[in-house]
Amino acid sequence: MKRHNFYAGPSILPQYTLDKTIEGIKDFAGTGLSVLEISHRSKEFVACVSDTIALIKSLLDVPAGYQVIFLGGGASLQFCMVPMNLMNSKSAYLVTGEWAGKAYKEAKFFGDAIEVATSKDRNFSYIPKNYSISSDVDYFHITTNNTIYGTELKNDPDVKVPLVADMSSDIFSRPVDVSKYSMIYAGAQKNLAPAGVTMIIVKEEILGKVSRPIPTMLDYRTHIKGESMFNTPPVFAIFAAQQTLKWLKEMGGVKIMQKKNIEKARILYDEIDRNRLFVPTVKDPEDRSLMNICFVMADEYKDLEKEFSEFAKSRGMLGIEGHRSVGGFRASTYNALPKESVEALVAVMKEFESGKR
Ligand SMILES: *Cc1c(COP(=O)(O)O)cnc(C)c1O
């Protein structure tokens, strides 16, 4: 049976990434040694890091004045590193979901973090609009894709203060105007690589402005200066990320990827809207995530949830259970997920419906 991988993270990677990673585990860059057992300071691995950075810069059109670095600790470590490095006294947060809320919570350890708006009142099922950001904040933090509840900010907002974004679950899914951001960070395990590395794009001029002392390892400037090699970086995850980025470039880049992602999401949302057994959790099409598509059983069919879950699994649909805090279903349709998988899921939803006359 063909298996379709809808897991939210860690999640599906391109077959290219898996194949090239297996090659690299056996023989890395013609060294005759595995990428798992070679010095991060070897010239071959140093070249891997600089090529990965060059790929990121070219795929996202990163302007001059920005640095790309790789850190460990996941996107979650950035929740505290961002305020520690960027917030003198005040910051603003848009709380659109669980991860956004966790980021906001950490900022409060460092000063006056303001929640400018939240969609918590309706279980994070929409993106708040019409909020205002006080002009004296050191930065405004957004989470572009709400991985758990399935909303997404699909445009780069125009704001008058430095903008910081957690793009962990939609990085490389669309073109981004990097010049609008002071910092972008993303854990790799959704759209890029296996878990273990976090990618950071930071505008250099925003650093060095806070008065607090910053421990060496938690200071972005340490890692810029060390070219992501101040200490041993997550070598394997960076190598795998390089393969995904090569694949992405071969595929035609983020603009083509966006087109494919829009098409995949349309196929699935259309079926959720049409099928009488299911309802989408996010009503406004503008706010609907193209990466994590969430739906539940319609009220009159609530008791069929477990049955559908088992049915889908028996047809090879893996990882479609909703996050433990939401229930229902979530199909993650990251870059590497082929359209055929979405079509297969739609066919299963139709088949299940026709069995319920
Ligand atoms: C998965 C995720 C995180 C957490 O990432 P870790 O690498 O596990 O710390 C943070 N933010 C968003 C938007 C995510 O999707």
Side-chain angles (χ1 to χ4, degrees):
M1 179 179 55
K2 173 137 180 62
R3 287 177 175 76
H4 300 277
N5 182 353
F6 294 98
Y7 278 105
S11 41
I12 187 166
L13 289 168
Q15 189 59 43
Y16 180 92
T17 303
L18 300 181
D19 291 343
K20 292 289 172 182
T21 303
I22 290 166
E23 277 175 34
I25 288 176
K26 291 181 175 165
D27 179 3
F28 171 62
T31 55
L33 299 179
S34 169
V35 67
L36 302 178
E37 54 182 10
I38 194 164
S39 168
H40 59 294
R41 302 202 188 274
S42 64
K43 79 172 186 325
E44 292 84 1
F45 189 73
V46 170
C48 165
V49 170
S50 37
D51 184 52
T52 308
I53 292 172
L55 283 163
I56 291 169
K57 287 185 167 173
S58 99
L59 283 162
L60 292 179
D61 261 326
V62 177
Y66 287 78
Q67 294 282 351
V68 176
I69 48 174
F70 301 114
L71 300 180
S76 299
L77 180 61
Q78 298 310 306
F79 297 165
C80 73
M81 274 180 80
V82 165
M84 192 184 279
N85 282 266
L86 305 182
M87 175 178 176
N88 248 321
S89 56
K90 255 174 121 172
S91 62
Y93 279 73
L94 186 63
V95 179
T96 47
E98 201 147 306
W99 297 116
K102 285 183 170 163
Y104 172 53
K105 174 172 176 258
E106 296 303 301
K108 286 191 274 189
F109 285 112
F110 298 93
D112 186 12
I114 306 158
E115 179 185 83
V116 296
T118 178
S119 45
K120 198 173 171 44
D121 59 339
R122 284 193 273 132
N123 207 24
F124 300 118
S125 60
Y126 67 102
I127 301 277
K129 321 260 156 44
N130 306 320
Y131 47 83
S132 59
I133 306 157
S134 145
S135 61
D136 63 349
V137 297
D138 297 313
Y139 64 85
F140 175 48
H141 182 282
I142 58 173
T143 309
T144 49
N145 185 63
N146 174 0
T147 324
I148 294 178
Y149 301 85
T151 60
E152 188 177 8
L153 249 165
K154 293 175 212 127
N155 303 304
D156 307 309
D158 282 303
V159 293
K160 295 195 170 59
V161 298
L163 183 61
V164 175
D166 174 359
M167 294 196 185
S168 294
S169 53
D170 63 351
I171 190 80
F172 301 115
S173 70
R174 63 171 174 92
V176 170
D177 182 353
V178 176
S179 72
K180 286 190 176 172
Y181 298 85
S182 289
M183 186 177 149
I184 292 169
Y185 63 92
Q189 70 273 24
K190 314 283 165 55
N191 233 352
L192 188 60
V197 66
T198 308
M199 175 197 114
I200 287 140
I201 302 175
V202 60
K203 195 175 192 173
E204 249 189 309
E205 65 170 42
I206 197 170
L207 300 174
K209 291 185 177 166
V210 295
S211 47
R212 76 176 61 82
I214 304 172
T216 311
M217 262 302 278
L218 299 178
D219 190 330
Y220 293 119
R221 291 169 301 179
T222 303
H223 301 283
I224 291 173
K225 189 155 170 269
E227 299 182 347
S228 297
M229 304 246 189
F230 171 75
N231 68 324
T232 317
V235 170
F236 177 65
I238 294 172
F239 174 70
Q242 182 195 24
Q243 311 318 310
T244 301
L245 295 164
K246 282 184 182 169
W247 169 81
L248 191 52
K249 195 169 172 180
E250 250 167 57
M251 295 289 290
V254 286
K255 218 175 164 142
I256 301 285
M257 206 40 77
Q258 178 184 41
K259 230 180 115 201
K260 289 178 188 285
N261 288 331
I262 289 172
E263 168 72 359
K264 285 184 289 180
R266 187 190 58 73
I267 294 170
L268 188 49
Y269 281 119
D270 279 356
E271 174 61 15
I272 296 166
D273 287 334
R274 185 208 62 77
N275 193 314
R276 69 198 155 93
L277 302 187
F278 303 103
V279 287
T281 53
V282 180
K283 305 286 183 269
D284 187 346
E286 191 188 324
D287 293 348
R288 286 178 172 176
S289 172
L290 302 183
M291 297 280 102
N292 310 98
I293 300 177
C294 297
F295 54 103
V296 293
M297 303 304 301
D299 280 343
E300 57 276 42
Y301 299 107
K302 276 274 182 270
D303 54 332
L304 295 180
E305 182 168 312
K306 202 163 180 320
E307 193 185 328
F308 177 69
S309 185
E310 310 258 294
F311 181 77
K313 206 173 285 163
S314 75
R315 296 291 192 276
M317 305 297 134
L318 303 181
I320 64 164
E321 288 77 30
H323 188 269
R324 57 188 189 280
S325 63
V326 200
F329 303 98
R330 168 178 55 175
S332 297
T333 52
Y334 297 120
N335 284 354
L337 186 87
K339 187 168 120 181
E340 293 66 42
S341 289
V342 175
E343 288 167 342
L345 175 58
V346 166
V348 165
M349 291 164 79
K350 284 190 190 334
E351 189 187 345
F352 190 71
E353 183 194 29
S354 67
K356 298 293 162 197
R357 293 267 173 239

